Amino acid sequence: MKAPIEDIVESDLCIACGACVVACQYDNIRRNVSDYRGSVEVQIKNDVVCATECKSRECGQVCPSINAFAGAESTIPEGGDKSDRVGPVLEVLLGYSPTFQQNGSSSSGGVIREVCALYLERGFSVIALGEIDGGDSIEYDAIAYSDPKDLRKMPGSIYHSIGVFNALRVLENQDGPFVIVSIPCHLEGIDNYIRECNPSLADRIHLRVGIICGWMYSHHAISSFTESMGLEGKIRDVRYRGEDKVGKLKIWFDAETPVQFDRRVHKTFTERLVYRSSFSTEMNRMRCRLCQNHTNVSADISVGDAWLARKGQQKLSIVVVRSDLAMTLVDDLRQQSRLILEKGCVEDIVESQSPNLVYGKVAQKLAIYQRNRHRCVPHYPFLENEKLSFVESIGFMRNDWFRHIIRSRRYKLFRFLYLLSRPLLYVSYLKQQFGRK
C-alpha cells in the first residue's frame, strides 16, 4: 500500500501546502523540488513505512487535492445551491489603499497590505509569504510577520511554484492570534489539517484573508523564457508585480539589477512568441487548471485585482466580504480613510476574474477528461454542470502531449508547436504595433 499522496504528486496535483508533512505520524514526508514537473512538492522518504507501518492514511485525509475544499458545504449561501461557486457574499466592494497603491508597493489596490498593516498595529501576527534562506537563490515560504515595518518585505504576486510548509508549524508553535493571507488551495490544506488533526488550532486564527488566484506556473515557464531569450546564469529571484497596473517581469541573476521585460507590450514578434508560449496555459500546474475555488470562498475576505472595463487603467482591488468579522474590519478601515471603497456587485467578480475561473467551466471539463483516463482529480462538493465534447477532448489530449514535451525541456519544439496552434498570434502582434503608432 503506497501513500495516497504519491498519486497526487505524480499527477502534478501537489501544491505544497504542507498539510501532509505535519499530519504524517512517522515524519516520513518532506519538501522536494521536482526538476521534471518543475514544481515544489512533497516526497515520501521511505516507501516501506507507508506500506507496512502506516494505517491512518492521514496524509490523504488532509490533502486538498484529494479532499478539495472539504468545508465547502457551509459556504453555500442561504437559498443557493451547489452550482454556486461564488460562495457567501455579504458585500462586494471596489477600491484601494491610498498608502500602498500610491507608493508603488502594490500593482493593484493595496488592500491586502492595508489589512495586514492594521492588524500588525493591533498586535496580531500575520502569516503570509516571505523570503527564506535558499542559499544561492531566494525562496519563499510562509513566515510570521509581527512588525508593521516588515510589510515592505512581503512579496507581491508570485506565479511560479512555491510552498507554505511553515504555515502549520507556526500555528502549532506560537499562540497567536493570527491573520492568515493565503491563496485558495493552500488555505484548503491548512483548514483540512485543522479539521482532521488539530481542531484546537482554529482558535488561533482570527481572520482568513483570501487571495483571489488564477494559476501557478511550473518552473519550466521561467526556464523556457530565459533559455529562449538567451539569458544565462543561475536565477536568484523572479518577480512579476509592482510599480504599475500590470507590472514588469523582473529576473535577478548574479547582479543586483534585474533584467526586466514588459508583460504586455513586446518589441518584436519573436519576443511576443517567447513570452506567450513560456507563460501559456500549457505551463500551468495541473492542480490550478482543475481548481474550482479561484475566488477563495472559505476566506473571511477575498481580494483580487479589479479588471473592469468601466474602471479603465485604475489600480483597484475587488473586495468580497464574506463574514461579519470582515465587514467590521472593512468599516474600520473605511472610517479611518485607509481604504477608499465604492459598492460593487457579484457581476463585478465574474467580469474581473472571468466566468471560466469563477464558475470553473474548463476545470469541470478537464476533470471529466482526467477521470475518463483514470487519473486523479480533486473532489469538490459543487455540482458539475459542464459537458465534455469530442473536440474539447482532443484539445486536452493535445495539451497532454505539449506537457510531455515541456517536461522533456524541448522548449524550442514546444514554441514551434505553440505557434502552429495559435494562428492568430501574429495578427494580435500587428494590432499591438499599429495601436502603439
Side-chain angles (χ1 to χ4, degrees):
M1 292 179 63
K2 63 181 180 180
I5 62 166
E6 287 192 82
D7 285 337
I8 296 301
V9 171
E10 291 169 5
S11 302
D12 191 28
L13 298 184
C14 175
I15 42 77
C17 66
C20 64
V21 176
V22 183
C24 180
Q25 300 176 15
Y26 302 92
D27 190 28
N28 196 39
I29 306 175
R30 63 187 170 197
R31 180 185 186 275
N32 181 53
V33 178
S34 168
D35 289 333
Y36 174 65
R37 282 178 287 275
S39 62
V40 179
E41 56 190 33
V42 298
Q43 183 181 52
I44 301 296
K45 298 178 185 178
N46 187 341
D47 292 334
V48 176
V49 172
C50 298
T52 62
E53 298 183 36
C54 180
K55 306 298 181 185
S56 64
R57 294 296 194 252
E58 287 184 329
C59 62
Q61 296 171 26
V62 301
C63 178
S65 291
I66 295 176
N67 294 311
F69 195 33
E73 295 286 356
S74 62
T75 71
I76 297 172
E78 185 176 353
D81 58 38
K82 289 186 178 182
S83 65
D84 189 352
R85 291 164 173 78
V86 177
V89 178
L90 299 185
E91 190 171 19
V92 178
L93 300 164
L94 303 172
Y96 62 95
S97 158
T99 299
F100 295 106
Q101 183 217 48
Q102 295 173 11
N103 69 6
S105 61
S106 173
S107 52
S108 55
V111 169
I112 289 181
R113 288 182 186 270
E114 194 66 77
V115 169
C116 292
L118 177 68
Y119 273 106
L120 289 171
E121 293 164 10
R122 291 177 172 177
F124 289 76
S125 293
V126 174
I127 299 177
L129 276 184
E131 296 181 6
I132 61 173
D133 184 13
D136 295 334
S137 61
I138 293 176
E139 294 186 11
Y140 297 93
D141 204 323
I143 64 173
Y145 295 88
S146 57
D147 190 327
K149 296 179 181 178
D150 291 339
L151 273 179
R152 62 179 178 270
K153 301 177 184 178
M154 189 181 295
S157 301
I158 298 177
Y159 297 117
H160 56 269
S161 179
I162 54 171
V164 290
F165 293 92
N166 291 335
L168 284 166
R169 295 299 188 192
V170 171
L171 279 173
E172 289 193 325
N173 296 328
Q174 300 181 32
D175 291 334
F178 293 102
V179 172
I180 290 186
V181 180
S182 177
I183 62 175
C185 55
H186 289 162
L187 187 56
E188 289 171 13
I190 291 169
D191 283 343
N192 279 358
Y193 174 81
I194 292 173
R195 183 175 50 256
E196 298 291 337
C197 300
N198 195 346
S200 65
L201 294 183
D203 296 333
R204 298 184 182 182
I205 301 177
H206 176 76
L207 182 79
R208 291 170 169 82
V209 180
I211 299 171
I212 296 177
C213 179
W215 51 76
M216 185 185 294
Y217 295 110
S218 71
H219 292 163
H220 289 294
I222 292 296
S223 297
S224 172
F225 182 80
T226 54
E227 179 184 300
S228 302
M229 295 298 291
L231 302 174
E232 297 181 352
K234 182 176 177 59
I235 297 174
R236 188 160 58 89
D237 193 16
V238 181
R239 298 197 181 188
Y240 307 82
R241 303 301 300 270
E243 85 272 328
D244 60 26
K245 177 69 177 179
V246 177
K248 295 185 182 297
L249 170 65
K250 297 179 279 290
I251 306 174
W252 281 262
F253 293 93
D254 295 330
E256 291 296 321
T257 303
V259 182
Q260 301 189 48
F261 298 90
D262 197 302
R263 297 171 62 208
R264 290 290 177 88
V265 181
H266 305 104
K267 299 176 182 177
T268 66
F269 177 72
T270 299
E271 184 178 314
R272 188 177 185 82
L273 171 61
V274 168
Y275 185 88
R276 288 290 188 90
S277 60
S278 298
F279 296 95
S280 62
T281 303
E282 290 80 5
M283 294 288 185
N284 290 170
R285 300 292 309 279
M286 181 58 72
R287 176 61 171 80
C288 302
R289 296 198 62 202
L290 287 165
C291 180
Q292 297 186 45
N293 183 25
H294 290 282
T295 58
N296 222 327
V297 300
S298 59
D300 292 288
I301 182 171
S302 300
V303 183
D305 293 331
W307 306 108
L308 300 172
R310 72 177 186 274
K311 292 299 180 181
Q313 297 300 311
Q314 292 185 60
K315 294 166 61 176
L316 298 174
S317 296
I318 188 164
V319 182
V320 186
V321 182
R322 302 190 183 279
S323 71
D324 292 334
L325 175 62
M327 183 66 76
T328 301
L329 161 69
V330 168
D331 287 342
D332 287 347
L333 289 168
R334 188 161 29 190
Q335 290 171 11
Q336 297 176 39
S337 298
R338 296 176 67 160
L339 288 182
I340 308 301
L341 299 169
E342 63 182 83
K343 280 192 174 295
C345 59
V346 171
E347 287 72 22
D348 289 335
I349 305 175
V350 178
E351 180 187 348
S352 175
Q353 307 305 317
S354 83
N356 173 40
L357 291 187
V358 172
Y359 296 115
K361 293 178 178 295
V362 174
Q364 292 179 60
K365 295 178 180 181
L366 180 57
I368 297 170
Y369 172 83
Q370 295 288 82
R371 288 194 197 100
N372 289 343
R373 280 150 184 78
H374 307 288
R375 297 173 181 172
C376 298
V377 174
H379 171 71
Y380 285 93
F382 302 121
L383 293 177
E384 292 189 351
N385 298 320
E386 301 297 324
K387 305 296 182 183
L388 179 66
S389 70
F390 175 75
V391 173
E392 290 165 335
S393 182
I394 295 297
F396 290 137
M397 190 179 301
R398 181 194 65 187
N399 191 259
D400 281 344
W401 184 44
F402 281 175
R403 289 168 68 83
H404 175 73
I405 292 171
I406 291 167
R407 289 175 172 182
S408 302
R409 295 184 176 270
R410 291 177 286 175
Y411 301 137
K412 186 178 294 186
L413 173 60
F414 167 67
R415 192 162 62 251
F416 172 71
L417 295 173
Y418 178 85
L419 179 59
L420 293 180
S421 67
R422 306 299 200 282
L424 297 181
L425 185 64
Y426 192 72
V427 175
S428 67
Y429 170 73
L430 290 177
K431 286 183 178 179
Q432 181 192 82
Q433 298 305 308
F434 282 117
R436 292 173 64 189
K437 293 178 181 179

